[in-house]
Amino acid sequence: MTLVWILTLALILGLLAFDYFFHVRSAHVPTLREASIWSALYVGIALLFGVLTLIFGGAAMGSEYFAGYITEKALSVDNLFVFLIIMTSFRVPRENQQKVLLVGIVVSLIARAGFIFLGSALLNTFSWVFYLFGIALLLTAGNMLKPQTEESHSAQNIVVRLARRLFRTAEDFDGDRLFTVVDGRRLMTPMVLVMIAIGGTDLMFALDSIPAIFGLTQNVFVVFTATAFSLLGLRQLYFLLDGLLDRLIYLSFGLAAILAFIGAKLILHALHENNLPFVNGGDHVEVVEISTGLSLVVILVVLLITILASLFSTRGRTQTAMANIRRDAAAYLDSEYTADAGERERIFRRLLEARDHIIALGPDARQQVKNEADLMELCRAAAASHAAAHPAHEIRPSL
């Protein structure tokens, strides 16, 4: 087993090193084709690892891995929405977003590894910890049912505010450098603050995701590998899902249902293993335990329903259009957002598509649009800027 751990860690570290030296080290904006190919490759590696686990570890271990991987992957997609808000809040140049995401993934891996080994030690020593994990997941599920908007998250969290007070920070980015010199003084760039915000957010996410996967398996190797492979490729997935994250309006409801299901599974397991004197006199309680196979089926069905419902929802398309207008107009009008002409043209065309969607809405659906006048004004400002830069281009008329 020691050799398996060594080979697995070598594979994970090798993939991270490859990601840095061949993609992130040279700042650039990934194309949709690049993001698609590498996302598919990382998912393929994760699935292949699962097949090998199934072959060499048995059906139980393999199903635990796939259940854990799918759950962690779904949670990581939901987390990308918060990463998007942080990037937008700090006005991170598009070319440098890859580096921030990779650092966030590394921090997340380290944090989760620590939580995994700590959680395993607690569960092996105190069986009543299953109760705590189950209750924590039920509370998390309840919180996920609350409306999640850009205003409900803030990149300016307490860690970032403390860092601004303790350290001298420059106002502007200097490429992807962490430090710069302004008026002869060495200052941190906002890149450091973004990484602090992403890292702090990752720590909070770990508190939710680790109890969830322990509800599916207590095998430390499976927990670690399922978590690690769900994080690898997250950088590419961010760019692949760019513009679609707001579309998944029901994903949080699906994840809430999954976490509540796993939380109930943990509590049932805790009752079965019970040794608390004030519960059934310290004896175990005869309850039905939920199998990993059933858990995998429930997770897949819930995710499939919520994703399809989101993609075919008019409300989802409208919410995506509104979010795209706000972010794409701000990005296009920000001369420092990107120096890539192709990327600027891409976000401008997406802005026009979002505008046309809002215009084409019927009276009933149009009630879902908030601050329509402000959105159209953003479109006109971006169109005017585009016309000034490309006088020969013809722009479709707006409202």
Side-chain angles (χ1 to χ4, degrees):
M1 192 63 183
T2 302
L3 179 61
V4 175
W5 269 102
I6 292 173
L7 293 175
T8 302
L9 290 174
L11 173 62
I12 293 170
L13 293 175
L15 289 172
L16 288 172
F18 177 84
D19 225 9
Y20 176 75
F21 287 106
F22 290 93
H23 294 285
V24 175
R25 192 177 186 182
S26 177
H28 70 284
V29 180
T31 63
L32 182 61
R33 182 175 180 274
E34 178 186 339
S36 301
I37 291 173
W38 288 105
S39 292
L41 180 63
Y42 276 101
V43 171
I45 291 172
L47 295 180
L48 177 60
F49 188 88
V51 171
L52 293 175
T53 303
L54 193 66
I55 294 172
F56 294 103
M61 189 175 179
S63 60
E64 288 174 356
Y65 170 84
F66 281 113
Y69 172 75
I70 293 170
T71 301
E72 292 297 307
K73 197 69 173 178
L75 287 169
S76 67
V77 170
D78 190 56
N79 297 343
L80 288 180
F81 178 68
V82 183
F83 291 169
L84 177 62
I85 294 171
I86 292 174
M87 298 284 195
T88 304
S89 174
F90 279 101
R91 297 172 56 243
V92 181
R94 186 71 167 175
E95 290 85 349
N96 300 331
Q97 291 181 2
Q98 292 197 95
K99 188 172 186 178
V100 173
L101 289 169
L102 185 61
V103 170
I105 290 170
V106 172
V107 170
S108 186
L109 267 173
I110 295 172
R112 279 165 167 73
F115 283 128
I116 287 169
F117 289 109
L118 176 62
S120 177
L122 289 174
L123 291 173
N124 289 330
T125 307
F126 308 106
S127 61
W128 52 262
V129 174
F130 283 109
Y131 285 113
L132 296 183
F133 279 12
I135 293 170
L137 288 181
L138 292 175
L139 292 175
T140 301
N143 288 331
M144 293 191 80
L145 294 176
K146 297 177 182 178
Q148 298 293 312
T149 63
E150 295 193 21
E151 289 75 21
S152 64
H153 300 281
S154 174
Q156 301 294 333
N157 57 39
I158 187 170
V159 178
V160 174
R161 291 197 298 269
L162 183 62
R164 283 190 183 276
R165 290 190 176 213
L166 294 178
F167 305 103
R168 294 176 295 183
T169 309
E171 293 296 324
D172 301 314
F173 289 89
D174 184 7
D176 62 354
R177 295 182 179 88
L178 302 181
F179 296 90
T180 187
V181 177
V182 178
D183 297 330
R185 295 190 304 164
R186 184 175 174 81
L187 305 176
M188 288 194 317
T189 67
M191 184 69 74
V192 177
L193 299 180
V194 178
M195 291 177 177
I196 291 173
I198 293 287
T201 305
D202 278 331
L203 288 175
M204 291 187 293
F205 291 156
L207 295 176
D208 296 336
S209 66
I210 297 306
I213 194 169
F214 269 119
L216 298 169
T217 176
Q218 284 82 60
N219 186 314
V220 176
F221 180 76
V222 173
V223 171
F224 176 78
T225 53
T227 301
F229 282 111
S230 72
L231 291 173
L232 292 173
L234 197 60
R235 175 186 64 80
Q236 294 85 348
L237 192 63
Y238 174 86
F239 292 96
L240 181 62
L241 295 181
D242 183 31
L244 290 177
L245 290 173
D246 298 278
R247 183 82 167 265
L248 302 174
I249 58 173
Y250 300 124
L251 180 61
S252 59
F253 294 102
L255 290 175
I258 290 171
L259 292 181
F261 172 79
I262 298 175
K265 183 176 185 294
L266 274 169
I267 291 177
L268 288 174
H269 182 71
L271 289 170
H272 187 269
E273 300 291 328
N274 177 66
N275 57 13
L276 293 177
F278 53 85
V279 177
N280 197 36
D283 296 326
H284 77 279
V285 182
E286 291 293 339
V287 293
V288 176
E289 289 209 74
I290 302 170
S291 67
T292 304
L294 177 60
S295 301
L296 181 57
V297 172
V298 170
I299 291 167
L300 286 172
V301 170
V302 170
L303 284 178
L304 183 63
I305 291 173
T306 53
I307 290 174
L308 290 177
S310 297
L311 293 178
F312 288 100
S313 166
T314 300
R315 178 169 168 256
R317 291 195 295 271
T318 301
Q319 182 168 308
T320 301
M322 290 189 293
N324 283 350
I325 288 175
R326 286 194 299 270
R327 281 196 286 265
D328 289 344
Y332 189 82
L333 294 170
D334 184 356
S335 60
E336 297 181 357
Y337 176 70
T338 179
D340 189 320
E343 172 64 12
R344 290 184 60 80
E345 189 65 20
R346 185 189 71 83
I347 61 176
F348 180 71
R349 292 300 163 189
R350 191 172 68 180
L351 172 65
L352 293 185
E353 291 172 4
R355 182 201 65 183
D356 291 347
H357 174 81
I358 299 295
I359 294 173
L361 286 174
D364 294 337
R366 206 152 189 165
Q367 295 176 2
Q368 302 171 7
V369 181
K370 299 178 181 178
N371 303 320
E372 182 179 343
D374 293 338
L375 294 177
M376 293 303 127
E377 182 57 37
L378 284 172
C379 291
R380 283 190 284 270
S385 176
H386 186 275
H390 307 85
H393 288 199
E394 181 180 353
I395 304 300
R396 297 192 298 274
S398 61
L399 288 178

